[in-house]
Amino acid sequence: MAEKRDYYEVLGLQKGATDDEIKKAYRKLAKQYHPDLNPDNPEAEAKFKEINEANDVLSDPQKRAKYDQFGHAGVDPSYGGGAGGFGGGFGGFSGGFSSADGIDLGDIFDSIFGGGGGQRSNPNAPRQGSDIAISLDISFMEACKGLSHEVEINRAETCDSCHGSGAKAGTTPKTCPDCHGSGQVRVQQRSMFGMMSSTRPCSRCGGKGKIIETPCPTCNGQGRVQRRKKVVINVPAGIDNGQTLCVRGEGNCGTNGGPKGDLNVRITVRKDPIFERKGFDVWCEIPITYSQAVLGDELTVPTIDGNVKYSIPEGTQPGTVFRLRGKGIKKLQREGRGDQMVRVVIEVPKKLNKKQKDALLSFEKELTPSNYEKRTSFFDKIKKFGDDLKKNFQ
Protein backbone atom coordinates (compact mmCIF):
# COMPACT_ATOMS: atom_id res chain seq x y z
CA MET A 1 0.00 0.00 0.00
CA ALA A 2 1.32 3.46 -0.93
CA GLU A 3 2.36 5.60 2.04
CA LYS A 4 -0.27 8.21 2.83
CA ARG A 5 0.61 11.77 3.67
CA ASP A 6 -0.28 13.19 7.05
CA TYR A 7 -3.81 14.61 6.85
CA TYR A 8 -2.77 17.86 8.55
CA GLU A 9 0.03 18.22 6.01
CA VAL A 10 -2.44 17.62 3.15
CA LEU A 11 -4.53 20.59 4.31
CA GLY A 12 -1.46 22.70 5.16
CA LEU A 13 -2.25 22.75 8.89
CA GLN A 14 -0.59 21.98 12.20
CA LYS A 15 -1.90 19.36 14.56
CA GLY A 16 -4.30 21.06 16.97
CA ALA A 17 -5.86 23.28 14.29
CA THR A 18 -9.35 24.55 15.09
CA ASP A 19 -12.47 23.35 13.30
CA ASP A 20 -12.76 26.72 11.60
CA GLU A 21 -9.16 26.53 10.33
CA ILE A 22 -9.82 23.05 8.95
CA LYS A 23 -12.96 24.22 7.19
CA LYS A 24 -11.25 27.26 5.60
CA ALA A 25 -8.23 25.24 4.47
CA TYR A 26 -10.42 22.56 2.91
CA ARG A 27 -12.60 25.04 1.02
CA LYS A 28 -9.58 26.86 -0.39
CA LEU A 29 -7.82 23.69 -1.60
CA ALA A 30 -11.01 22.00 -2.85
CA LYS A 31 -11.72 25.03 -5.02
CA GLN A 32 -8.14 25.09 -6.33
CA TYR A 33 -8.08 21.43 -7.36
CA HIS A 34 -11.77 20.87 -8.24
CA PRO A 35 -12.11 18.70 -11.41
CA ASP A 36 -14.41 21.28 -13.04
CA LEU A 37 -11.58 23.83 -12.93
CA ASN A 38 -8.90 21.29 -13.91
CA PRO A 39 -10.36 19.18 -16.74
CA ASP A 40 -8.23 16.23 -17.96
CA ASN A 41 -5.72 16.77 -15.13
CA PRO A 42 -5.08 13.45 -13.29
CA GLU A 43 -2.74 15.12 -10.79
CA ALA A 44 -5.37 17.67 -9.73
CA GLU A 45 -7.97 14.90 -9.50
CA ALA A 46 -5.71 12.86 -7.20
CA LYS A 47 -5.06 15.91 -4.99
CA PHE A 48 -8.80 16.63 -4.85
CA LYS A 49 -9.47 13.08 -3.61
CA GLU A 50 -6.65 13.35 -1.06
CA ILE A 51 -8.02 16.69 0.23
CA ASN A 52 -11.53 15.25 0.60
CA GLU A 53 -10.19 12.20 2.44
CA ALA A 54 -8.27 14.40 4.86
CA ASN A 55 -11.27 16.66 5.46
CA ASP A 56 -13.60 13.69 6.00
CA VAL A 57 -11.43 12.57 8.93
CA LEU A 58 -10.37 15.89 10.46
CA SER A 59 -13.85 17.46 10.32
CA ASP A 60 -15.35 14.53 12.26
CA PRO A 61 -14.50 14.81 16.00
CA GLN A 62 -14.58 11.03 16.57
CA LYS A 63 -12.49 10.18 13.52
CA ARG A 64 -10.07 12.98 14.29
CA ALA A 65 -9.56 11.74 17.87
CA LYS A 66 -8.70 8.26 16.59
CA TYR A 67 -6.43 9.68 13.90
CA ASP A 68 -4.58 11.86 16.44
CA GLN A 69 -4.06 8.81 18.66
CA PHE A 70 -3.35 6.04 16.16
CA GLY A 71 -2.59 7.78 12.85
CA HIS A 72 -3.98 6.36 9.60
CA ALA A 73 -4.52 2.94 11.21
CA GLY A 74 -7.05 4.49 13.56
CA VAL A 75 -9.40 5.43 10.71
CA ASP A 76 -8.50 2.84 8.06
CA PRO A 77 -8.36 -0.81 9.27
CA SER A 78 -6.69 -1.90 6.02
CA TYR A 79 -3.80 0.55 6.46
CA GLY A 80 -0.51 -1.13 7.23
CA GLY A 81 -1.84 -4.63 6.48
CA GLY A 82 -4.92 -4.79 8.70
CA ALA A 83 -4.74 -5.90 12.31
CA GLY A 84 -1.23 -7.17 11.76
CA GLY A 85 -0.11 -3.57 11.58
CA PHE A 86 -0.14 -3.54 15.37
CA GLY A 87 2.79 -5.83 16.02
CA GLY A 88 2.38 -8.86 13.76
CA GLY A 89 -1.15 -10.21 13.84
CA PHE A 90 -2.87 -10.51 17.20
CA GLY A 91 0.51 -11.09 18.79
CA GLY A 92 0.76 -7.33 19.14
CA PHE A 93 -1.76 -7.64 21.97
CA SER A 94 0.45 -9.84 24.15
CA GLY A 95 -0.72 -11.45 27.35
CA GLY A 96 -3.27 -13.99 26.11
CA PHE A 97 -6.45 -11.95 26.71
CA SER A 98 -9.66 -13.87 27.23
CA SER A 99 -13.14 -13.09 28.48
CA ALA A 100 -12.14 -14.68 31.77
CA ASP A 101 -9.65 -11.86 32.31
CA GLY A 102 -12.53 -9.40 32.29
CA ILE A 103 -11.21 -7.79 29.07
CA ASP A 104 -13.35 -7.74 25.95
CA LEU A 105 -11.27 -7.87 22.77
CA GLY A 106 -14.19 -6.21 21.01
CA ASP A 107 -13.65 -3.15 23.23
CA ILE A 108 -10.04 -2.99 22.12
CA PHE A 109 -11.01 -3.07 18.44
CA ASP A 110 -13.82 -0.59 19.04
CA SER A 111 -11.40 1.86 20.63
CA ILE A 112 -9.29 1.72 17.50
CA PHE A 113 -11.71 1.08 14.65
CA GLY A 114 -15.02 2.19 16.12
CA GLY A 115 -16.66 -1.22 16.06
CA GLY A 116 -16.63 -4.20 13.72
CA GLY A 117 -17.77 -2.22 10.68
CA GLY A 118 -16.19 1.15 11.43
CA GLN A 119 -17.89 4.13 13.09
CA ARG A 120 -20.83 5.43 11.11
CA SER A 121 -21.40 9.11 10.73
CA ASN A 122 -24.33 10.83 12.40
CA PRO A 123 -27.46 9.71 10.48
CA ASN A 124 -29.12 13.05 11.19
CA ALA A 125 -26.23 15.24 10.02
CA PRO A 126 -26.94 17.52 7.04
CA ARG A 127 -26.23 15.81 3.71
CA GLN A 128 -25.97 17.34 0.29
CA GLY A 129 -28.53 16.27 -2.28
CA SER A 130 -27.58 14.15 -5.28
CA ASP A 131 -26.75 15.62 -8.69
CA ILE A 132 -29.03 15.47 -11.73
CA ALA A 133 -27.65 14.82 -15.23
CA ILE A 134 -29.38 15.90 -18.45
CA SER A 135 -28.41 16.46 -22.10
CA LEU A 136 -28.94 19.61 -24.13
CA ASP A 137 -28.85 19.62 -27.93
CA ILE A 138 -27.83 22.94 -29.54
CA SER A 139 -26.85 24.18 -33.00
CA PHE A 140 -23.33 25.06 -34.13
CA MET A 141 -24.13 28.78 -34.14
CA GLU A 142 -25.66 28.59 -30.64
CA ALA A 143 -22.43 26.99 -29.43
CA CYS A 144 -20.43 29.80 -31.02
CA LYS A 145 -22.57 32.64 -29.69
CA GLY A 146 -23.92 31.20 -26.43
CA LEU A 147 -27.56 31.21 -25.36
CA SER A 148 -29.99 31.02 -22.46
CA HIS A 149 -32.19 27.95 -22.65
CA GLU A 150 -34.99 26.91 -20.32
CA VAL A 151 -35.21 23.20 -19.47
CA GLU A 152 -37.75 21.33 -17.38
CA ILE A 153 -36.47 18.68 -14.97
CA ASN A 154 -37.83 16.33 -12.33
CA ARG A 155 -36.12 16.84 -8.99
CA ALA A 156 -36.61 16.14 -5.30
CA GLU A 157 -37.60 19.18 -3.25
CA THR A 158 -38.19 19.66 0.45
CA CYS A 159 -41.79 18.93 1.40
CA ASP A 160 -43.62 22.19 2.14
CA SER A 161 -46.01 20.51 4.58
CA CYS A 162 -43.44 19.02 6.98
CA HIS A 163 -40.41 21.16 5.96
CA GLY A 164 -38.35 18.03 5.43
CA SER A 165 -38.95 16.35 8.80
CA GLY A 166 -41.21 13.64 7.37
CA ALA A 167 -43.63 14.06 10.31
CA LYS A 168 -47.18 15.34 9.98
CA ALA A 169 -47.61 19.06 10.69
CA GLY A 170 -47.91 19.63 14.42
CA THR A 171 -45.84 16.53 15.28
CA THR A 172 -42.11 15.84 15.44
CA PRO A 173 -39.99 12.74 14.92
CA LYS A 174 -39.02 10.90 18.13
CA THR A 175 -35.53 9.79 19.05
CA CYS A 176 -35.26 6.04 18.60
CA PRO A 177 -35.23 4.38 22.05
CA ASP A 178 -33.13 1.43 20.83
CA CYS A 179 -30.16 3.32 19.37
CA HIS A 180 -30.74 6.63 21.20
CA GLY A 181 -30.51 8.55 17.94
CA SER A 182 -27.19 7.10 16.72
CA GLY A 183 -28.80 4.95 14.04
CA GLN A 184 -26.77 1.89 15.08
CA VAL A 185 -26.79 -0.67 17.87
CA ARG A 186 -24.02 -2.70 19.42
CA VAL A 187 -24.22 -6.48 19.35
CA GLN A 188 -21.97 -8.99 21.12
CA GLN A 189 -20.89 -12.31 19.76
CA ARG A 190 -18.77 -15.03 21.31
CA SER A 191 -15.73 -16.11 19.29
CA MET A 192 -12.50 -18.00 19.80
CA PHE A 193 -10.99 -14.75 21.08
CA GLY A 194 -13.74 -14.11 23.60
CA MET A 195 -16.71 -11.78 23.39
CA MET A 196 -16.51 -9.60 20.27
CA SER A 197 -18.54 -6.41 19.94
CA SER A 198 -19.68 -4.92 16.67
CA THR A 199 -22.21 -2.40 15.46
CA ARG A 200 -24.98 -2.64 12.89
CA PRO A 201 -27.82 -0.42 11.66
CA CYS A 202 -30.69 -0.17 14.08
CA SER A 203 -33.57 -2.31 12.81
CA ARG A 204 -36.22 -0.30 14.65
CA CYS A 205 -35.50 3.04 12.98
CA GLY A 206 -33.77 1.71 9.86
CA GLY A 207 -30.52 3.43 10.78
CA LYS A 208 -32.08 6.91 10.82
CA GLY A 209 -31.91 7.46 14.56
CA LYS A 210 -35.47 8.78 14.61
CA ILE A 211 -38.94 7.29 14.45
CA ILE A 212 -41.81 9.05 12.70
CA GLU A 213 -44.98 8.00 14.48
CA THR A 214 -47.33 10.10 12.35
CA PRO A 215 -45.93 10.42 8.78
CA CYS A 216 -46.63 13.51 6.72
CA PRO A 217 -49.47 12.66 4.28
CA THR A 218 -47.99 14.86 1.56
CA CYS A 219 -44.61 13.10 1.30
CA ASN A 220 -45.49 9.83 3.10
CA GLY A 221 -42.82 10.50 5.69
CA GLN A 222 -39.99 10.96 3.20
CA GLY A 223 -39.51 14.66 3.81
CA ARG A 224 -39.11 15.18 0.05
CA VAL A 225 -41.44 15.28 -2.94
CA GLN A 226 -40.81 15.06 -6.69
CA ARG A 227 -41.66 18.19 -8.66
CA ARG A 228 -41.27 19.48 -12.20
CA LYS A 229 -39.01 22.50 -12.19
CA LYS A 230 -38.02 24.95 -14.93
CA VAL A 231 -34.35 25.94 -14.90
CA VAL A 232 -32.63 28.48 -17.16
CA ILE A 233 -29.31 27.17 -18.54
CA ASN A 234 -26.84 29.89 -19.52
CA VAL A 235 -24.64 28.28 -22.17
CA PRO A 236 -21.42 30.30 -22.63
CA ALA A 237 -20.15 31.28 -26.06
CA GLY A 238 -17.46 28.85 -27.20
CA ILE A 239 -18.87 25.69 -25.58
CA ASP A 240 -17.83 22.54 -27.45
CA ASN A 241 -19.53 19.25 -28.21
CA GLY A 242 -19.33 16.79 -25.30
CA GLN A 243 -18.54 19.37 -22.61
CA THR A 244 -20.60 19.48 -19.41
CA LEU A 245 -21.99 22.58 -17.71
CA CYS A 246 -22.44 22.45 -13.94
CA VAL A 247 -25.35 24.53 -12.65
CA ARG A 248 -24.74 24.81 -8.91
CA GLY A 249 -27.58 24.18 -6.49
CA GLU A 250 -30.16 23.06 -9.06
CA GLY A 251 -30.01 19.34 -8.24
CA ASN A 252 -32.00 17.31 -5.73
CA CYS A 253 -32.57 18.82 -2.29
CA GLY A 254 -30.39 17.70 0.61
CA THR A 255 -31.51 15.93 3.77
CA ASN A 256 -31.49 17.22 7.33
CA GLY A 257 -31.01 20.76 6.07
CA GLY A 258 -28.13 19.89 3.75
CA PRO A 259 -27.51 21.87 0.52
CA LYS A 260 -28.94 20.95 -2.88
CA GLY A 261 -26.95 18.96 -5.40
CA ASP A 262 -25.98 20.28 -8.83
CA LEU A 263 -27.46 20.03 -12.30
CA ASN A 264 -24.94 18.67 -14.82
CA VAL A 265 -25.80 19.51 -18.43
CA ARG A 266 -23.96 17.59 -21.15
CA ILE A 267 -23.82 19.59 -24.38
CA THR A 268 -24.35 18.06 -27.81
CA VAL A 269 -23.57 20.37 -30.76
CA ARG A 270 -25.22 19.58 -34.09
CA LYS A 271 -23.04 19.63 -37.22
CA ASP A 272 -23.24 22.69 -39.46
CA PRO A 273 -23.57 22.42 -43.28
CA ILE A 274 -20.97 25.16 -43.87
CA PHE A 275 -18.61 25.40 -40.90
CA GLU A 276 -16.41 22.91 -39.09
CA ARG A 277 -14.76 23.50 -35.74
CA LYS A 278 -11.13 22.64 -34.96
CA GLY A 279 -10.23 23.86 -31.48
CA PHE A 280 -11.26 27.50 -31.46
CA ASP A 281 -10.76 27.90 -35.23
CA VAL A 282 -13.57 27.70 -37.77
CA TRP A 283 -12.97 26.08 -41.17
CA CYS A 284 -15.00 26.33 -44.36
CA GLU A 285 -14.53 25.56 -48.06
CA ILE A 286 -15.51 27.95 -50.85
CA PRO A 287 -15.79 26.78 -54.47
CA ILE A 288 -14.41 29.24 -57.05
CA THR A 289 -14.34 29.20 -60.85
CA TYR A 290 -11.30 28.61 -63.01
CA SER A 291 -11.32 32.23 -64.20
CA GLN A 292 -11.57 33.52 -60.59
CA ALA A 293 -8.51 31.49 -59.68
CA VAL A 294 -6.60 32.72 -62.73
CA LEU A 295 -7.56 36.39 -62.60
CA GLY A 296 -8.21 36.85 -58.87
CA ASP A 297 -11.49 38.14 -57.48
CA GLU A 298 -13.30 39.54 -54.46
CA LEU A 299 -15.17 36.73 -52.69
CA THR A 300 -18.11 36.86 -50.30
CA VAL A 301 -17.00 34.70 -47.37
CA PRO A 302 -19.49 33.48 -44.73
CA THR A 303 -18.33 33.74 -41.11
CA ILE A 304 -20.09 33.14 -37.79
CA ASP A 305 -20.49 36.93 -37.57
CA GLY A 306 -21.98 37.28 -41.06
CA ASN A 307 -20.60 37.68 -44.58
CA VAL A 308 -17.32 39.52 -45.23
CA LYS A 309 -15.43 40.48 -48.40
CA TYR A 310 -12.05 38.89 -49.14
CA SER A 311 -9.86 39.40 -52.22
CA ILE A 312 -7.95 36.43 -53.60
CA PRO A 313 -4.89 37.13 -55.76
CA GLU A 314 -4.25 36.15 -59.38
CA GLY A 315 -3.04 32.61 -59.83
CA THR A 316 -4.68 31.21 -56.69
CA GLN A 317 -3.99 27.48 -56.60
CA PRO A 318 -6.44 24.69 -55.64
CA GLY A 319 -6.52 24.00 -51.89
CA THR A 320 -5.03 27.37 -50.92
CA VAL A 321 -6.02 28.30 -47.35
CA PHE A 322 -6.60 31.92 -46.34
CA ARG A 323 -6.77 33.02 -42.70
CA LEU A 324 -9.27 35.54 -41.33
CA ARG A 325 -7.84 36.50 -37.96
CA GLY A 326 -10.18 36.87 -34.99
CA LYS A 327 -13.17 35.48 -36.90
CA GLY A 328 -13.21 32.16 -35.05
CA ILE A 329 -14.81 30.97 -31.81
CA LYS A 330 -14.57 32.77 -28.47
CA LYS A 331 -12.14 31.11 -26.08
CA LEU A 332 -13.73 29.81 -22.88
CA GLN A 333 -12.72 31.48 -19.61
CA ARG A 334 -10.14 33.70 -21.31
CA GLU A 335 -9.87 36.58 -23.72
CA GLY A 336 -9.61 36.30 -27.48
CA ARG A 337 -11.04 34.31 -30.33
CA GLY A 338 -9.74 31.79 -32.79
CA ASP A 339 -9.41 32.41 -36.54
CA GLN A 340 -11.41 31.39 -39.57
CA MET A 341 -9.61 29.29 -42.16
CA VAL A 342 -10.98 29.47 -45.72
CA ARG A 343 -9.94 26.76 -48.18
CA VAL A 344 -10.65 27.51 -51.86
CA VAL A 345 -11.68 24.67 -54.15
CA ILE A 346 -11.48 25.25 -57.90
CA GLU A 347 -14.53 23.77 -59.59
CA VAL A 348 -13.89 22.38 -63.07
CA PRO A 349 -16.80 23.24 -65.39
CA LYS A 350 -18.85 20.39 -66.87
CA LYS A 351 -21.18 19.95 -69.86
CA LEU A 352 -19.45 22.51 -72.12
CA ASN A 353 -20.96 23.19 -75.53
CA LYS A 354 -18.91 23.32 -78.73
CA LYS A 355 -18.47 27.10 -78.64
CA GLN A 356 -17.20 26.96 -75.07
CA LYS A 357 -14.82 24.11 -75.88
CA ASP A 358 -13.43 25.94 -78.91
CA ALA A 359 -12.92 29.08 -76.85
CA LEU A 360 -11.10 27.06 -74.18
CA LEU A 361 -8.85 25.37 -76.75
CA SER A 362 -8.08 28.74 -78.33
CA PHE A 363 -7.17 30.12 -74.93
CA GLU A 364 -4.97 27.09 -74.20
CA LYS A 365 -3.00 27.58 -77.43
CA GLU A 366 -2.05 31.07 -76.33
CA LEU A 367 -0.40 29.76 -73.13
CA THR A 368 3.30 28.96 -72.83
CA PRO A 369 5.20 26.68 -70.40
CA SER A 370 5.98 29.75 -68.28
CA ASN A 371 2.28 29.96 -67.45
CA TYR A 372 2.44 26.49 -65.83
CA GLU A 373 5.24 26.44 -63.28
CA LYS A 374 4.33 23.13 -61.63
CA ARG A 375 3.64 21.39 -64.94
CA THR A 376 6.90 22.59 -66.46
CA SER A 377 8.84 21.57 -63.36
CA PHE A 378 7.20 18.13 -63.35
CA PHE A 379 8.07 17.36 -66.97
CA ASP A 380 11.60 18.68 -66.52
CA LYS A 381 12.01 16.12 -63.75
CA ILE A 382 10.65 13.36 -65.97
CA LYS A 383 13.05 14.33 -68.78
CA LYS A 384 15.98 14.31 -66.36
CA PHE A 385 14.89 10.91 -65.05
CA GLY A 386 14.80 9.53 -68.62
CA ASP A 387 18.24 10.97 -69.44
CA ASP A 388 19.72 9.44 -66.29
CA LEU A 389 18.09 6.09 -67.16
CA LYS A 390 19.65 6.11 -70.63
CA LYS A 391 23.10 6.82 -69.20
CA ASN A 392 22.82 3.85 -66.86
CA PHE A 393 22.16 1.45 -69.75
CA GLN A 394 24.86 2.81 -72.07
Side-chain angles (χ1 to χ4, degrees), residues 156-170:
E157 295 192 346
T158 302
C159 176
D160 294 331
S161 299
C162 66
H163 305 291
S165 71
K168 184 179 179 180

Side-chain angles (χ1 to χ4, degrees), residues 61-99:
Q62 294 179 341
K63 291 182 181 179
R64 183 179 179 184
K66 291 174 184 175
Y67 178 73
D68 288 345
Q69 185 175 3
F70 300 105
H72 290 294
V75 291
D76 184 358
S78 65
Y79 187 81
F86 295 95
F90 293 107
F93 300 104
S94 60
F97 295 138
S98 69
S99 57

Side-chain angles (χ1 to χ4, degrees), residues 159-297:
C159 176
D160 294 331
S161 299
C162 66
H163 305 291
S165 71
K168 184 179 179 180
T171 67
T172 57
K174 306 297 183 184
T175 300
C176 176
D178 288 6
C179 65
H180 306 292
S182 67
Q184 55 188 339
V185 293
R186 183 182 297 276
V187 294
Q188 290 189 325
Q189 184 177 350
R190 185 176 297 278
S191 72
M192 60 184 293
F193 300 109
M195 293 297 294
M196 299 291 292
S197 295
S198 62
T199 58
R200 67 184 182 192
C202 176
S203 59
R204 184 164 183 175
C205 65
K208 297 181 179 179
K210 293 183 179 181
I211 296 175
I212 300 175
E213 296 177 339
T214 309
C216 171
T218 303
C219 63
N220 296 319
Q222 299 300 311
R224 307 194 305 174
V225 292
Q226 290 289 326
R227 289 198 181 101
R228 297 289 290 176
K229 173 71 176 180
K230 292 182 178 180
V231 179
V232 175
I233 309 297
N234 292 313
V235 181
I239 195 76
D240 202 356
N241 182 60
Q243 291 184 320
T244 299
L245 288 175
C246 181
V247 186
R248 301 292 184 192
E250 292 293 352
N252 291 313
C253 69
T255 54
N256 303 321
K260 292 180 180 178
D262 300 327
L263 175 62
N264 296 313
V265 186
R266 183 174 176 81
I267 301 297
T268 299
V269 181
R270 298 191 297 272
K271 289 187 177 181
D272 189 86
I274 297 176
F275 302 112
E276 180 183 358
R277 176 172 181 166
K278 294 182 180 180
F280 291 104
D281 292 337
V282 174
W283 284 71
C284 75
E285 286 189 350
I286 295 184
I288 61 174
T289 66
Y290 175 74
S291 59
Q292 284 178 310
V294 172
L295 303 175
D297 198 4

Side-chain angles (χ1 to χ4, degrees), residues 289-343:
T289 66
Y290 175 74
S291 59
Q292 284 178 310
V294 172
L295 303 175
D297 198 4
E298 184 179 71
L299 304 180
T300 298
V301 179
T303 74
I304 61 175
D305 298 320
N307 294 337
V308 299
K309 297 294 185 180
Y310 188 86
S311 296
I312 58 173
E314 294 182 7
T316 294
Q317 299 300 306
T320 299
V321 176
F322 299 100
R323 181 189 298 269
L324 304 181
R325 295 195 179 277
K327 291 295 183 180
I329 296 169
K330 183 182 182 303
K331 298 178 180 179
L332 283 174
Q333 299 179 345
R334 52 194 171 116
E335 295 296 323
R337 291 174 57 172
D339 302 325
Q340 176 159 330
M341 316 301 288
V342 182
R343 180 185 289 111

